[in-house]
Amino acid sequence: MKVMQENNFENQVKDLLYNHSESAPNVMGKVFEKRTPLYIFKNRLILHKYKLMAAAVLIGLLAFLFNMKSDKTDSVLPIVAETETNQVDETPNTEAESIENQMAQIDETIAEPTNTTNPNSTSGVATNGTQQTQSNINNSDLSTSSPGTKILRDRMLKELANAKKQGKGDDGSWGTGTPQSEKPIGNTSGEFVNNTTESNTNKQDVPTDQTQSEKDQTQNTTNKANDTKTTIAKTEAPTSSSEDNTGGDEDFELPKTKDGKWSVSFNTVIGSGSRNLDAMGDMASVVVRDATETANLSYGAELLLNYKLSDNFDLYSGFNYFNRREKMVYMHNTQVTDMDITSKKVIEHHPVFGTREVTVYDTSYTTRNVQSNGDFNNSYKHFYIPLGLRYTLYLNETVGIYFDVNGGLEVVTKTSGTILNDQYQELSLDNGFGRTSLGNMVGVNAGVSFLVDERLSVLTGLRGKMFLNPTNNQDYPINQYDKGFGLMVGLKYDL
Amino acid sequence: MNSDEELIKGCIREDREMQGLLYEKYADKMFAVCMRYSNTREEAEDVLQEAFIKIFDKISKFRQEGSFEGWMRRIMVNTALRSWDKRSRKFEPGDLDHVEEPVQRELVLDSIGVKEIMAMINKLPEGYQMVFNLFAVEGYSHKEIGELLNINESTSRSQYARARRNLMTMLEKIES
């Protein structure tokens, strides 16, 4: 009987417990793994995952509420909304300078964006009172760099070229009696619209008193000064008092871009994958695997929620699936030696032992080749949650180039297939792979985004990713790190 | 079998084989230490892993004056305490003056094994467990315990006294 006195209680307990051993699990693999900063980071993520998730939800909620409450001031793309031109009059054998004058007038207006656009002043471009074309330019936000202005100038130049080709003679005059009807050239998106073209050809055709005719033309010039309008789209808020002078300009319904902060995107990737094998400890197996495994077409998909941090930066997260596929083909010859033993009884005459029957064994060896082969499709499916930052450099209103970097928390890895060991024995990927612990990954993407309409964008580009934690588990001794790259095509929809 | 000195030198060179041997040699004993300061086996495994990382990181700083096992044990204990600190640090309020002196009597422990005594210790409130393990098993003084746990020395004493009394009560029940 063991008696424990009060005064030696501690000693007794110490004797019992101090040198006590418990069968410890083998965590050495983890110890080595954990020595890396990434592993420590991963462990912190795991330890605080609920806090992080709660914080992410809270931040998302707050951002959403803030976004809902904030004023959604829709931005308006500067475009040429509508153009109205009115061919007022046209007289044969008259210098057709109107379009050149229009051009000059537009250039002047561009050069002096604060000019008021008094129709009377612009009407002065008509020469000899024979052809008057009023260009009433609402240039409140007009600048030389405006896309609308460029489009307008291009259109005007094209128009001029066409006009010269079709109707203008060598002497610089229009063809006799040929009415110059302007073609309607577009509507929105920086094109002209000929809504109120009026060709007073009747006046030309009917001979009248010359003085009266000139008077009429002068009157027409005055009255119809406002009829011909070449309006370049204005941006959302008029900044010039000249708008008042445009008298009769309509409010154009301009397409507006959505100014929401949130968007969702769905991307698909096709490409190729590969892996790095840590040769520590089993170089022979690595050699065999490198010789037998080749990359196959890999693919993936992701669903992302994007948050616009600024005009150029987006933060995103979501769920990503990537299936790295590979082919494992091998053909291996093994030399097998068969040993054949035969025995027979022989009569032996021995000088000492005399005649006796003994058993004699004959051994023969036969070497043969045994060929083994296999053809397997291996699959490593990675499921991870990316968190990334995307920078988009907009080339114009519709096209942008984006770059992004992302890191991710890999939640599950599933594998299927077969690999070989150094003895060319088949090992099922189910055993030794399919890590279920959390892992890390990093990725980079670059490509082009196209704005299809107000909300929808198409993204395409190249992407690469690497998984920083081994795909294998502790049962397989060679650490394997998967990576992949490919072509991405996706859609982004602004909420 | 490699000596501690060889293992230490190997670990300083970051020789993985030596690290593995060191782990094999001490893991069981250290795991028992971790188990005493942890609620679950999983938590003990995590502490063991964390502590071995520290050991491999800091092994070059070990001055071969004292016991290497003692040094490792201290790292285990410190790591376990940090883990407990993060998890749920909780001390029962109390003062030494209010603690009754344990009854001076003999206790029969012939049927009490390690598992039973550990089970009894695990039934104690966590604060009691920590102080009891540190004082009775690891041999820390109350002053050291106070510094380790960032509590007053008197608090350590009272916690220990309460733990001891509770254990005695449990032992009495087993005896009866």
Side-chain angles (χ1 to χ4, degrees), chain A residues 6 10 18 25 32 34, chain B residues 19 23 50 73 160 164 168:
Chain A
E6 288 296 325
E10 289 79 11
Y18 189 83
F32 290 133
K34 204 168 182 178
Chain B
Q19 287 174 333
Y23 182 85
E50 195 79 42
R73 188 182 282 266
Y160 176 72
R164 194 169 188 262
M168 292 292 182

Side-chain angles (χ1 to χ4, degrees), chain A residues 77-89:
Chain A
L77 291 175
I79 63 166
V80 175
E82 190 172 339
T83 303
E84 296 178 12
T85 57
N86 189 2
Q87 188 82 17
V88 175
D89 199 355

Side-chain angles (χ1 to χ4, degrees), chain A residues 93-104:
Chain A
N93 303 318
T94 305
E95 285 290 319
E97 297 176 14
S98 62
I99 297 178
E100 288 92 332
N101 287 335
Q102 266 187 283
M103 288 295 302

Side-chain angles (χ1 to χ4, degrees), chain A residues 159-350:
Chain A
E159 188 71 11
L160 179 61
N162 288 336
K164 282 182 175 175
K165 189 186 285 182
Q166 291 172 7
K168 195 174 179 182
D170 292 336
D171 58 350
S173 62
W174 297 100
T176 304
T178 305
Q180 300 297 316
S181 60
E182 287 189 12
K183 297 173 186 174
I185 42 176
N187 41 27
T188 56
S189 304
E191 295 182 346
F192 297 114
V193 173
N194 187 357
N195 288 334
T196 57
T197 301
E198 295 176 10
S199 297
N200 297 328
T201 52
N202 291 334
K203 291 180 184 176
Q204 298 160 16
D205 294 338
V206 178
T208 56
D209 179 68
Q210 183 68 22
T211 308
Q212 183 61 37
S213 175
E214 287 179 4
K215 190 184 281 184
D216 289 345
Q217 285 175 358
T218 306
Q219 186 62 36
N220 280 335
T221 302
T222 307
N223 291 339
K224 301 211 172 191
N226 289 331
D227 290 346
T228 300
K229 299 166 188 169
T230 303
T231 306
I232 295 174
K234 53 187 177 179
T235 51
E236 186 179 23
T239 56
S240 168
S241 60
S242 66
E243 186 177 322
D244 295 335
N245 298 327
T246 58
D249 276 357
E250 297 169 11
D251 286 336
F252 303 112
E253 290 187 5
L254 302 176
K256 296 176 179 180
T257 57
K258 190 74 180 171
D259 198 26
K261 296 279 188 186
W262 294 94
S263 60
V264 290
S265 50
F266 177 74
N267 302 323
T268 56
V269 182
I270 54 168
S272 179
S274 61
R275 78 284 185 277
N276 289 338
L277 295 174
D278 181 4
M280 285 287 288
D282 195 357
M283 194 62 200
S285 290
V286 173
V287 171
V288 171
R289 287 193 57 188
D290 283 342
T292 55
E293 293 169 12
T294 52
N296 222 347
L297 183 71
S298 301
Y299 54 85
E302 67 183 357
L303 185 64
L304 301 176
L305 182 64
N306 308 284
Y307 181 75
K308 185 185 276 292
L309 295 172
S310 67
D311 287 343
N312 298 100
F313 284 97
D314 290 283
L315 190 67
Y316 66 84
S317 184
F319 187 75
N320 193 305
Y321 160 75
F322 175 63
N323 186 357
R324 186 178 79 76
R325 297 167 69 240
E326 66 181 19
K327 194 97 174 157
M328 197 282 277
V329 180
Y330 76 98
M331 186 178 289
H332 185 61
N333 285 318
T334 312
Q335 281 199 333
V336 179
T337 302
D338 298 321
M339 187 171 67
D340 187 26
I341 302 171
T342 56
S343 63
K344 59 183 177 183
K345 303 275 186 189
V346 295
I347 305 296
E348 186 184 67
H349 301 283
H350 196 274

Side-chain angles (χ1 to χ4, degrees), chain A residues 20-29 31-32, chain B residues 1-4 7-8 11 15-32 48 52 55-56 59 68-69 72 76:
Chain A
H20 172 61
S21 297
E22 288 271 344
S23 178
N26 185 7
V27 294
M28 271 307 284
V31 168
F32 290 133
Chain B
M1 191 67 160
N2 296 77
S3 67
D4 279 356
L7 291 174
I8 292 165
C11 290
D15 182 335
R16 287 200 175 187
E17 190 182 354
M18 288 298 185
Q19 287 174 333
L21 290 172
L22 181 79
Y23 182 85
E24 279 178 22
K25 186 173 181 181
Y26 288 106
D28 289 353
K29 199 175 272 188
M30 295 302 135
F31 190 58
L48 181 76
F52 263 102
I55 288 167
F56 292 139
I59 200 163
F68 180 59
E69 186 185 330
M72 290 178 71
M76 290 288 159

Side-chain angles (χ1 to χ4, degrees), chain B:
Chain B
M1 191 67 160
N2 296 77
S3 67
D4 279 356
E5 195 174 345
E6 288 171 327
L7 291 174
I8 292 165
K9 284 178 181 172
C11 290
I12 290 171
R13 292 195 308 270
E14 296 198 346
D15 182 335
R16 287 200 175 187
E17 190 182 354
M18 288 298 185
Q19 287 174 333
L21 290 172
L22 181 79
Y23 182 85
E24 279 178 22
K25 186 173 181 181
Y26 288 106
D28 289 353
K29 199 175 272 188
M30 295 302 135
F31 190 58
V33 176
C34 299
M35 284 290 287
R36 283 203 294 277
Y37 293 89
S38 305
N39 276 345
T40 63
R41 188 177 177 86
E42 289 72 28
E43 192 186 331
E45 285 179 16
D46 203 41
V47 170
L48 181 76
Q49 186 181 349
E50 195 79 42
F52 263 102
I53 290 165
K54 287 181 186 171
I55 288 167
F56 292 139
D57 276 344
K58 310 287 181 188
I59 200 163
S60 58
K61 294 180 181 174
F62 171 65
R63 285 172 287 179
Q64 301 188 8
E65 295 166 355
S67 155
F68 180 59
E69 186 185 330
W71 180 77
M72 290 178 71
R73 188 182 282 266
R74 275 184 175 261
I75 290 178
M76 290 288 159
V77 170
N78 283 335
T79 308
L81 291 177
R82 294 287 81 77
S83 172
W84 172 66
D85 209 16
K86 287 177 189 170
R87 189 182 70 236
S88 58
R89 181 189 173 92
K90 191 178 177 184
F91 281 101
E92 293 290 319
D95 194 288
L96 185 61
D97 299 337
H98 302 119
V99 179
E100 295 172 14
E101 282 297 312
V103 181
Q104 296 290 325
R105 53 174 301 167
E106 294 179 346
L107 293 170
V108 180
L109 290 175
D110 59 343
S111 60
I112 300 293
V114 173
K115 284 187 179 176
E116 285 76 14
I117 192 80
M118 280 185 69
M120 284 193 288
I121 292 170
N122 285 338
K123 282 181 185 172
L124 296 172
E126 281 195 330
Y128 293 4
Q129 283 182 41
M130 297 298 157
V131 175
F132 184 84
N133 278 321
L134 289 169
F135 185 82
V137 183
E138 310 299 339
Y140 286 88
S141 68
H142 284 299
K143 189 180 178 185
E144 288 173 317
I145 294 168
E147 288 170 359
L148 272 173
L149 300 178
N150 198 23
I151 56 175
N152 292 332
E153 187 180 337
S154 60
T155 306
S156 173
R157 285 181 189 281
S158 69
Q159 296 282 313
Y160 176 72
R162 286 166 186 271
R164 194 169 188 262
R165 191 188 58 188
N166 285 4
L167 279 174
M168 292 292 182
T169 309
M170 284 187 250
L171 287 168
E172 280 174 23
K173 282 182 184 172
I174 290 171
E175 187 186 25
S176 63

